[in-house]
Amino acid sequence: MSEQATMEGCCEAFLAGGLKGAAIPFGEDQAPQIAVIVPVFRHSVFLADAVGSALAQENAPAHRIVIVNDGCPHAETHRVATALACSFPGQVEYIRRTNGGLSAARNSGVSYALARWPSVRAIYFLDADNWIEPNALGRAFRVLMSDRQTGWVYPDIAMFGEYDWIFDYSGQYSIISHLAANISEAGSMVRREVFDKGCRFDESMRLGYEDWEFWWQCISAGFTGQHVPFFGLRYRKRPESMLSEASREHSAVLAYMHRKHRRLFRAHSLVSLEAQRAPRYALVSSGPVVRLCTDPARTDVQLTIGELVNRIVISRQQPFLHVAPRLIVAVSEETLSVLSKLCLDRWVFWWLEVQVAFGTELHVAGVALRADPSHTGVRIRILDSAAWPGRRGPLHMIAMRQATLYECMDDPSDEWIWSLTTARPLPRAAVLQINIGQDLMTSLHCPGVICQFFSFFEELHCAARVRSAAMPSAKERSYSPCIDDNEIPRRLFGCGPLFPVVREGQQRHATFVLPVVSHGGVEKVALNIAAEFQYQGWHCHLLILSSQAQLTEKWQRTFETISFYHEKDFDHWSGGEYLGTPYPKWNRDGDDRLLKGLLVGVDAVFGFHAAPLHRILGELRQGGVATAASLQVNDLTILGREVGHPFHSIGYEHAYDIFACGSASMLQWCHAMGVPRDKLIEVPCAPSYTLTPPQVAEILANREKNNSPLRNMRALFLGRLDRQKGLDRLAAMIQRCERLGLPVEWRLVGSRVITEDTDELPPGLLKKVEPAVSDEAELTALYAWADVLILPSYWEGLPLTLLEAMRLGAVPIVSRVGAMEEVVNNFETGILIESGSCDRFARDGAQVLETLVADRSLLARLSHQAAAAVAPRNWHESCRKLITKINEIVAHRQSV
């Protein structure tokens, strides 16, 4: 039988085996440990050199070479491959297949080799126009087999042809670096288990980068790479090649790869990788131990001061091989404890990083904590160098970035940096002043850190001045130095520093975004929804688009982190509009990178009337974040036209997965305004705090017992002192009752901050206004005191105040606006007054009070029915559908 007939018979047999090609096996079957796959297409002249270099290996395990002809149109390719297989029987085998591209050719070779030789433990890929030096396979195999976690080993690249360069990929393997640049040449050796897990070259990728995408598959399968020194790959570089084509199509090909590997590019995964590879912060305290971490709530590595100094010095000398923390932060354990208790620790570190390492010209940043008995909650101020305290007052944190330290190391004088001990520092500086109200912390006992910062710096400066041996000159590099590993995650997302939270296991994280935190209903809704998510196992974070917040311990119990972010253009409403409601100027002109950095790493983002958030939600959603808007109420202009945050949200309807409506009427309004029904979920409002059934029963029993016509009627107004709440109606109603001589005792409870709207209250009544109440026991006492709750609002959603008062039997007398009718049935569970003119409302309201004063049995019946109507409402039931839907969305996006 002729050689051609033999070849054709083998082709038919190979095709019948389902490998879509033809094979020519020669020689005895043995038990090789390595298979060398050599795909060839239009490189017939170079093929003999590539195969010859694989045949000439020394000190290598038994290996076989598989030539894969990828349907090359040149007859010479077939003749050369056939000749090689015939000339080296038992060493070279030949597959011929229809053209499918380089990926298909490699896959065919892999499938053939693994089926042909079950003993094969590793596959090496050798392109037909390259070659390897005699010890390459043995050296690579020994390194590969030394660690079961290593999925592949990769070489340096010694180029010849267009130019003679050696690209050096030595050093510790970094997944983060590999996601940003292809640091593994295709001419690498791959462990068999990688293919057993289903990893194959993507045959749809015919424009290049198919090897880079293959390594991403390996990473996803749980494998890592390892560099082999002196591997011996010789890479032919010509001015025009497949790599040139890939470079021209770089953006399109890379976008496809990112879509395919969404899981690898989730921000929280990158933060975890960063923590493993290159912890972001070094925490220098007064003790001998330095903590390295990316998440300040965790410790990734512990070093001595000397070890940290050595790490910084060597990263300066060999930035491609060694990495040091991005920020050096002097901080005491006492300060960390205070920040952790306030849930501000991660945000403060993020803020420090933003100041000194992201697009600023600052050299150093500090943090000063202040106990502030004049305010409640937390207030922040950002001060420039002019406010640097020097020796006048303590700084509780000092941070300097790596690059500034390098500059100081090169400076033989230390005068520049020592000026930080004065009130006129030469380095450009900023100070974050955190004022902590006495309701959160009565006193502070945190030491200053200027001494420990300079103690560390002195040791670093001395080490840098010690003459060291000359470092070897580095070979050419085609990727970023190790010091950029901290930068790669944010560059991949085009954002500011990623918020430093490192997850454990399968945690789910959600951020709740509020424009302000005071005592308003929207904030209470957010707090209660977050508490339900926390109860279901979510980790909740709070982002406040302001510089102050009225935080209580309940906020700190509910949220794992609390952050602040504010831009001056948040408050300028000239950034375009939707249906007559303007957006903030920042939405049009602002830099959104920092806000994205705060949010991109979570699974879900909830906006609560936070207008600046809309700008980035589309990008977050595209990146796999579930997005939801909580909508409670539309505002009214003086002319009675609806405006407000729901208009903001429906203008960005496409960017939202869910609209969580606080009432049925808000849900119907959203649907009528074009929001698809499937996106709408009603989250019925409930009282903002919990009372036990015995507590409620006791108050209701006392109310019934004390309902005597011999005492005055008790009327309560509880709310903000602004135009929405109908202060002019309230004043007119009180005056009318006084003229009628009705026995009504009034209590007006609201904010002490008197705005321009409060002048609608007569000066005499202004003096009667009691401070706003947030304490749950005080609120309960107010509701228990009141017989009736007066809410003369011009517009409302479904006020939590209404539900809380009704739960304890206070009869609501309210304007017929918003969703009031959803809980107040006229003369059944309360009394509705038509929202007309001020005089008409005052007349009708006074008439209702007169009726109740005269008929205490009617008051008792309304009280009983009001309490019964609200009793079933609770946040656990209200949030059930919302949490289920968010879980479904997140699970789906994590699976693709």
Side-chain angles (χ1 to χ4, degrees):
M1 183 180 293
S2 68
E3 179 183 285
Q4 180 67 22
T6 302
M7 183 192 71
E8 290 175 354
C10 291
C11 289
E12 292 175 1
F14 189 43
L15 282 169
L19 293 179
K20 299 182 180 179
I24 306 179
F26 291 90
E28 296 290 331
D29 288 346
Q30 296 181 16
Q33 294 189 324
I34 302 172
V36 180
I37 310 300
V38 186
V40 59
F41 183 81
R42 292 179 175 169
H43 284 326
S44 55
V45 177
F46 300 134
L47 179 60
D49 288 342
V51 172
S53 70
L55 289 168
Q57 292 299 294
E58 301 172 359
N59 302 316
H63 58 282
R64 299 292 178 266
I65 302 162
V66 180
I67 302 171
V68 184
N69 183 342
D70 186 34
C72 180
H74 303 322
E76 182 182 36
T77 298
H78 175 61
R79 291 197 299 271
V80 171
T82 301
L84 288 168
C86 292
S87 300
F88 299 96
Q91 294 179 278
V92 179
E93 302 201 358
Y94 173 36
I95 296 174
R96 188 178 185 185
R97 56 157 294 143
T98 56
N99 179 255
L102 182 56
S103 292
R106 287 174 178 153
N107 288 342
S108 293
V110 169
S111 298
Y112 178 83
L114 296 182
R116 177 84 168 83
W117 301 292
S119 59
V120 164
R121 300 175 65 191
I123 301 285
Y124 180 72
F125 296 102
L126 177 63
D127 288 349
D129 56 342
N130 298 335
W131 54 275
I132 50 177
E133 295 176 2
N135 288 305
L137 294 185
R139 184 179 293 119
F141 187 79
R142 286 188 290 273
V143 173
L144 180 63
M145 293 298 127
S146 66
D147 182 0
R148 293 184 59 84
Q149 193 64 29
T150 300
W152 75 98
V153 293
Y154 55 94
D156 296 328
I157 301 177
M159 290 188 172
F160 67 97
E162 181 184 6
Y163 42 68
D164 292 330
W165 280 352
I166 297 178
F167 284 102
D168 184 358
Y169 293 98
S170 59
Q172 182 182 358
Y173 175 74
S174 167
I175 293 177
I176 289 181
S177 293
H178 207 171
L179 296 178
N182 189 10
I183 61 176
S184 294
E185 216 286 320
S188 300
M189 185 174 288
V190 185
R191 184 184 294 273
R192 181 192 185 107
E193 287 81 354
V194 169
F195 303 104
D196 291 341
K197 282 199 172 184
C199 297
R200 294 292 189 277
F201 291 90
D202 187 333
E203 298 187 14
S204 70
M205 297 182 66
R206 303 190 66 163
L207 295 175
Y209 293 169
E210 76 294 325
D211 54 333
W212 193 6
E213 190 277 331
F214 175 74
W215 305 130
W216 288 3
Q217 290 185 48
C218 298
I219 293 169
S220 296
F223 296 100
T224 60
Q226 187 174 337
H227 174 259
V228 177
F230 314 109
F231 188 107
L233 170 67
R234 299 287 289 167
Y235 183 98
R236 188 182 305 273
K237 182 69 175 72
R238 292 185 288 182
E240 180 64 23
S241 64
M242 186 174 178
L243 183 59
S244 305
E245 294 180 6
S247 299
R248 287 191 288 269
E249 301 292 339
H250 174 83
S251 296
V253 176
L254 203 57
Y256 165 77
M257 292 166 59
H258 281 187
R259 288 194 301 272
K260 182 176 178 181
H261 293 276
R262 288 186 181 92
R263 294 185 186 182
L264 280 180
F265 288 90
R266 292 197 173 101
H268 67 82
S269 299
L270 295 178
V271 172
S272 296
L273 289 172
E274 175 194 338
Q276 298 168 20
R277 162 64 175 162
R280 198 182 301 185
Y281 311 119
L283 279 57
V284 179
S285 65
S286 57
V289 176
V290 177
R291 288 174 49 201
L292 303 190
C293 62
T294 290
D295 183 339
R298 300 161 51 101
T299 297
D300 299 320
V301 180
Q302 288 190 336
L303 302 174
T304 65
I305 292 287
E307 289 169 336
L308 175 61
V309 166
N310 291 338
R311 184 172 291 200
I312 294 172
V313 170
I314 198 170
S315 71
R316 173 65 163 159
Q317 295 173 334
Q318 294 185 310
F320 287 95
L321 301 180
H322 301 281
V323 62
R326 182 166 174 75
L327 257 70
I328 307 300
V329 184
V331 59
S332 68
E333 291 300 324
E334 293 89 343
T335 296
L336 288 175
S337 177
V338 169
L339 293 175
S340 176
K341 181 179 179 181
L342 295 172
C343 306
L344 295 174
D345 47 349
R346 274 103 157 216
W347 172 71
V348 167
F349 277 84
W350 179 87
W351 182 88
L352 290 169
E353 184 177 3
V354 167
Q355 299 308 303
V356 300
F358 180 76
T360 70
E361 297 181 351
L362 295 178
H363 299 113
V364 64
V367 176
L369 306 181
R370 299 285 185 268
D372 187 356
S374 64
H375 293 97
T376 59
V378 172
R379 292 171 180 252
I380 64 170
R381 294 179 63 200
I382 300 174
L383 310 173
D384 59 19
S385 295
W388 188 262
R391 297 185 182 276
R392 294 174 301 172
L395 277 174
H396 300 106
M397 297 179 74
I398 297 177
M400 183 174 285
R401 64 174 171 168
Q402 188 184 73
T404 303
L405 280 176
Y406 288 161
E407 293 173 7
C408 294
M409 290 161 57
D410 295 339
D411 186 355
S413 169
D414 56 9
E415 178 181 351
W416 182 82
I417 194 168
W418 270 97
S419 70
L420 290 172
T421 61
T422 72
R424 295 180 178 273
L426 295 175
R428 291 182 295 273
V431 178
L432 174 67
Q433 183 175 299
I434 303 177
N435 298 301
I436 308 167
Q438 61 179 355
D439 55 322
L440 297 178
M441 198 160 292
T442 55
S443 61
L444 286 170
H445 302 284
C446 300
V449 293
I450 194 78
C451 292
Q452 65 199 57
F453 174 79
F454 278 103
S455 175
F456 159 76
F457 177 76
E458 278 295 292
E459 189 163 342
L460 177 65
H461 202 223
C462 290
R465 285 179 291 185
V466 173
R467 184 180 298 276
S468 59
M471 303 301 296
S473 58
K475 292 176 279 185
E476 204 60 54
R477 295 270 178 168
S478 62
Y479 65 100
S480 299
C482 293
I483 59 173
D484 284 349
D485 276 9
N486 292 130
E487 285 283 294
I488 288 172
R490 73 163 189 83
R491 288 176 182 171
L492 289 170
F493 284 94
C495 65
L498 299 184
F499 196 60
V501 172
V502 176
R503 299 194 189 184
E504 295 181 0
Q506 300 300 313
Q507 295 176 346
R508 288 185 175 177
H509 290 245
T511 297
F512 293 72
V513 185
L514 283 159
V516 67
V517 172
S518 58
H519 304 301
V522 172
E523 296 100 286
K524 292 178 180 179
V525 169
L527 180 58
N528 281 280
I529 292 177
E532 291 302 321
F533 271 83
Q534 183 193 47
Y535 179 75
Q536 295 296 329
W538 282 70
H539 293 252
C540 298
H541 307 268
L542 175 63
L543 172 59
I544 308 165
L545 303 182
S546 177
S547 58
Q548 58 185 319
Q550 301 295 320
L551 299 169
T552 62
E553 289 186 4
K554 185 173 180 181
W555 290 88
Q556 294 163 351
R557 290 195 305 269
T558 302
F559 292 102
E560 187 172 308
T561 70
I562 297 175
S563 305
F564 294 86
Y565 183 68
H566 185 261
E567 297 282 355
K568 62 180 180 179
D569 284 345
F570 285 2
D571 304 321
H572 298 160
W573 300 87
S574 59
E577 63 178 41
Y578 183 70
L579 297 179
T581 295
Y583 291 99
K585 184 175 184 290
W586 182 88
N587 286 38
R588 183 186 63 198
D589 302 328
D591 185 342
D592 61 10
R593 291 177 297 169
L594 292 178
L595 189 56
K596 282 194 291 187
L598 284 166
L599 295 173
V600 73
V602 296
D603 300 298
V605 170
F606 294 84
F608 291 81
H609 294 192
L613 178 64
H614 302 303
R615 172 175 171 174
I616 66 170
L617 281 178
E619 193 170 346
L620 292 178
R621 184 172 183 259
Q622 189 176 24
V625 178
T627 58
S630 173
L631 302 181
Q632 303 300 319
V633 60
N634 276 318
D635 298 340
L636 291 180
T637 67
I638 295 177
L639 299 177
R641 180 171 63 86
E642 284 191 323
V643 293
H645 290 285
F647 286 93
H648 288 155
S649 299
I650 63 174
Y652 283 84
E653 176 268 321
H654 185 69
Y656 279 101
D657 294 302
I658 291 175
F659 290 85
C661 302
S663 63
S665 51
M666 176 55 70
L667 186 149
Q668 292 163 4
W669 181 88
C670 289
H671 194 204
M673 295 298 290
V675 179
R677 184 61 183 84
D678 288 347
K679 285 190 174 185
L680 295 169
I681 294 178
E682 184 183 357
V683 182
C685 288
S688 68
Y689 65 97
T690 301
L691 291 176
T692 65
Q695 288 175 310
V696 174
E698 181 182 0
I699 291 172
L700 293 176
N702 288 335
R703 183 184 297 283
E704 185 174 353
K705 182 173 59 176
N706 296 327
N707 185 20
S708 169
L710 299 179
R711 67 169 176 81
N712 291 342
M713 179 75 67
R714 296 170 177 173
L716 171 67
F717 168 84
L718 179 64
R720 299 189 313 273
L721 300 180
D722 61 28
R723 188 174 66 88
Q724 173 194 349
K725 299 301 181 180
L727 302 182
D728 57 337
R729 291 173 171 176
L730 177 64
M733 186 175 172
I734 293 173
Q735 290 171 349
R736 190 172 185 89
C737 289
E738 290 175 345
R739 287 198 302 269
L740 292 172
L742 295 180
V744 178
E745 182 180 349
W746 292 89
R747 291 185 70 178
L748 282 57
V749 181
S751 173
R752 285 182 179 272
V753 179
I754 306 301
T755 69
E756 65 273 12
D757 294 322
T758 61
D759 59 7
E760 297 170 359
L761 280 174
L765 289 182
L766 278 176
K767 296 178 182 179
K768 297 179 181 179
V769 173
E770 302 175 29
V773 172
S774 60
D775 180 77
E776 295 175 1
E778 293 182 38
L779 283 171
T780 299
L782 272 175
Y783 296 133
W785 172 87
D787 294 312
V788 296
L789 175 75
I790 310 295
L791 291 180
S793 308
Y794 281 103
W795 69 89
E796 285 286 1
L798 186 55
L800 305 192
T801 300
L802 172 68
L803 302 173
E804 291 162 2
M806 292 176 66
R807 172 177 60 179
L808 296 179
V811 176
I813 301 174
V814 299
S815 52
R816 193 191 295 267
V817 295
M820 297 286 203
E821 288 182 280
E822 293 183 24
V823 292
V824 180
N825 294 326
N826 205 19
F827 280 94
E828 291 185 14
T829 59
I831 298 171
L832 294 166
I833 299 177
E834 295 300 330
S835 184
S837 67
C838 178
D839 289 342
R840 179 180 174 182
F841 190 96
R843 182 196 66 201
D844 293 347
Q847 184 177 349
V848 167
L849 283 174
E850 188 174 15
T851 300
L852 294 178
V853 166
D855 188 352
R856 292 303 178 104
S857 63
L858 173 60
L859 178 68
R861 179 171 62 83
L862 293 177
S863 173
H864 174 76
Q865 292 174 173
V870 172
R873 285 182 175 257
N874 64 81
W875 286 105
H876 183 69
E877 290 300 322
S878 294
C879 293
R880 186 184 300 276
K881 289 182 180 179
L882 174 64
I883 295 175
T884 298
K885 184 66 173 178
I886 289 291
N887 281 332
E888 290 173 354
I889 293 171
V890 171
H892 172 71
R893 291 186 181 162
Q894 289 180 349
S895 67
V896 296

